[in-house]
Amino acid sequence: MISYNAFKTKVTGYLGGKYKENNLHIHKAGKWRDKPCTHILPEENQKDNFLFAAQINDKNELIIENQNVKLHRYWYHLNSSQVMCINFFNKLITEEGKEILLKVLKHIIKLDDDVSIEDASFEYEPDNIEKTNFDFYIKLSNNMQIFWEIKYTEDGFGKAKAEDLTRSGLTHKGKFKDIYEPKLHETLNFKNEKISCEDFLGNYQINRNVFYVKNKNDFSIFLIPEDNKKTCEQLDKVIGKFENVYKLYWEELYEIVKKEIENNEELKKYYNDFYEKYFGYKMIKE
């Protein structure tokens, strides 16, 4: 089993070396705390992190499919999970792509034949009170909602300290008491469970996603690489008892999409490029 540190080192080494030089033809390093870092793109090449022609406005927003997606602080790092998410799903949120995306979903979740995709968006914010963003969100015509949490080389899922302030202006403890706890009974998985503030915050990022599974029509999918064992193990310890909450490997999802686009040469090339970027490290011999 590859360790977390070995996994991240292998990924960033590949992205900042062979991939950046051979595929992007960039030989200059970006900077991390004023020091050169090979897997960070230099300012003049930051848009090259996207596998498609990117337009970014002066608010640091990506303009894509009528969405202005607020980019994360370090979106120009080649291992950015936000950009990875956008690179993968970008081709599947067009009108033509939604038909493929629906077929892909049917490999993961049981869906009726007559259902369609009403909305598919990045950095989705369900309300203005809780101040939560989901990496990717899908709403179907039968009101089914699918919330996606995307990981790549992250060191597990985030915890929260009780006294730290949140974007809503509350501390995490206050947020739990005022926002989450009063509505636990409205959720599919926490309604019959006594969960303390400490337990909720101890796996905050996971529990936050589970919280939004309100009923049998809502789903939460955690999308992670097979080799990120630390993140996988943390997730497995928490979600095993929950309904409508799934762990999905990136490699599995890629194979599902590959099957659904086998007759589309343009998309086949695009997703081959995606795999080469994010999983080409697997081809490096030890």
Side-chain angles (χ1 to χ4, degrees):
M1 179 187 296
I2 186 172
S3 69
Y4 169 75
N5 287 335
F7 160 69
K8 185 173 182 181
T9 298
K10 193 170 185 179
V11 170
T12 55
Y14 166 76
L15 288 172
K18 184 177 179 180
Y19 176 79
K20 189 177 76 173
E21 293 180 5
N22 294 349
N23 294 65
L24 302 182
H25 309 292
I26 298 171
H27 305 285
K28 181 180 175 183
K31 289 188 176 181
W32 175 251
R33 297 174 181 172
D34 293 326
K35 294 182 179 180
C37 187
T38 57
H39 75 277
I40 297 176
L41 292 171
E43 187 172 357
E44 63 269 24
N45 298 113
Q46 290 177 353
K47 288 183 182 179
D48 290 326
N49 207 12
F50 294 100
L51 295 172
F52 54 91
Q55 292 183 309
I56 299 170
N57 63 24
D58 57 5
K59 296 180 182 178
N60 206 35
E61 294 173 337
L62 175 69
I63 304 169
I64 175 176
E65 295 298 325
N66 300 316
Q67 298 182 49
N68 285 3
V69 181
K70 181 66 176 177
L71 291 170
H72 292 173
R73 183 178 181 183
Y74 299 121
W75 66 269
Y76 50 89
H77 293 204
L78 285 167
N79 63 329
S80 162
S81 58
Q82 182 193 35
V83 174
M84 183 185 194
C85 173
I86 293 170
N87 277 336
F88 190 86
F89 288 106
N90 166 52
K91 296 293 183 181
L92 302 178
I93 63 173
T94 63
E95 285 309 307
E96 177 187 0
K98 284 178 181 177
E99 295 182 13
I100 300 170
L101 181 55
L102 190 60
K103 292 177 181 178
V104 170
L105 288 175
K106 288 180 178 179
H107 287 268
I108 306 166
I109 298 168
K110 186 177 181 180
L111 299 177
D112 294 334
D113 290 336
D114 59 349
V115 74
S116 61
I117 293 176
E118 283 192 354
D119 183 30
S121 55
F122 301 105
E123 298 299 324
Y124 173 75
E125 189 170 310
D127 55 56
N128 294 320
I129 299 174
E130 206 263 319
K131 299 290 184 184
T132 285
N133 290 80
F134 290 93
D135 297 323
F136 188 54
Y137 169 80
I138 298 171
K139 184 177 181 181
L140 303 181
S141 56
N142 61 355
N143 289 322
M144 182 178 288
Q145 299 183 98
I146 306 166
F147 303 94
W148 297 71
E149 182 70 31
I150 310 297
K151 295 296 182 187
Y152 186 32
T153 60
E154 285 86 351
D155 185 5
F157 293 92
K159 300 181 180 182
K161 294 181 179 179
E163 302 308 321
D164 283 356
L165 286 174
T166 70
R167 285 198 301 147
S168 63
L170 296 169
T171 63
H172 278 291
K173 182 177 181 180
K175 191 174 180 180
F176 176 79
K177 293 294 184 183
D178 291 356
I179 295 174
Y180 290 115
E181 191 172 41
K183 294 185 177 181
L184 291 176
H185 69 282
E186 299 176 3
T187 70
L188 180 64
N189 290 294
F190 292 129
K191 62 184 178 183
N192 296 319
E193 190 170 314
K194 184 73 174 177
I195 184 168
S196 67
C197 177
E198 182 180 8
D199 288 340
F200 192 89
L201 297 182
N203 285 294
Y204 176 68
Q205 198 172 36
I206 297 174
N207 288 329
R208 180 205 68 170
N209 282 265
V210 175
F211 175 83
Y212 274 89
V213 179
K214 303 294 187 180
N215 53 57
K216 299 276 189 179
N217 233 22
D218 295 337
F219 292 83
S220 180
I221 297 177
F222 294 86
L223 184 58
I224 55 182
E226 286 179 328
D227 288 332
N228 193 337
K229 300 300 183 185
K230 187 172 184 179
T231 299
C232 293
E233 288 171 0
Q234 182 187 354
L235 185 62
D236 289 341
K237 289 177 182 178
V238 179
I239 69 167
K241 59 187 176 181
F242 293 142
E243 294 183 68
N244 290 17
V245 180
Y246 298 139
K247 176 181 74 176
L248 180 65
Y249 291 127
W250 269 112
E251 293 88 339
E252 292 178 297
L253 183 60
Y254 168 77
E255 290 298 330
I256 293 170
V257 170
K258 185 178 176 182
K259 179 179 179 181
E260 295 298 339
I261 62 171
E262 59 186 358
N263 295 320
N264 187 319
E265 293 302 319
E266 180 182 347
L267 286 181
K268 278 172 64 176
K269 182 184 184 308
Y270 181 86
Y271 282 98
N272 284 340
D273 290 345
F274 174 90
Y275 190 87
E276 184 176 1
K277 176 175 183 176
Y278 293 105
F279 297 99
Y281 75 88
K282 290 176 178 284
M283 304 302 293
I284 299 174
K285 294 181 179 179
E286 299 294 339

